[in-house]
Amino acid sequence: MGNENLAIYVVVVLCLGAVLLMLRDRIPARLKRSLALTAVILIALAFVFIIYSFLA
């Protein structure tokens, strides 16, 4: 993954997490858990990719 692609991915994932935090009261209960789990996985992958890019 190139540095530009990684930067775009990290920004988009962090924006997704911020949007979910800001709109947590408006999200239906059915979707809340799945969206939160997806966001946590994507944010964790972003940090793994960042560490991998520093080591590679």
Side-chain angles (χ1 to χ4, degrees):
M1 186 178 281
N3 288 338
E4 294 173 5
N5 292 338
L6 179 62
I8 293 170
Y9 176 75
V10 169
V11 168
V12 168
V13 167
L14 291 177
C15 286
L16 170 66
V19 167
L20 288 178
L21 282 176
M22 289 187 289
L23 299 177
R24 66 178 168 233
D25 296 333
R26 296 183 190 173
I27 298 173
R30 278 183 48 202
L31 294 175
K32 223 178 242 189
R33 179 170 287 180
S34 62
L35 285 175
L37 183 61
T38 302
V40 166
I41 291 170
L42 290 174
I43 291 170
L45 276 174
F47 286 115
V48 168
F49 289 150
I50 290 170
I51 292 171
Y52 176 76
S53 70
F54 284 136
L55 296 176

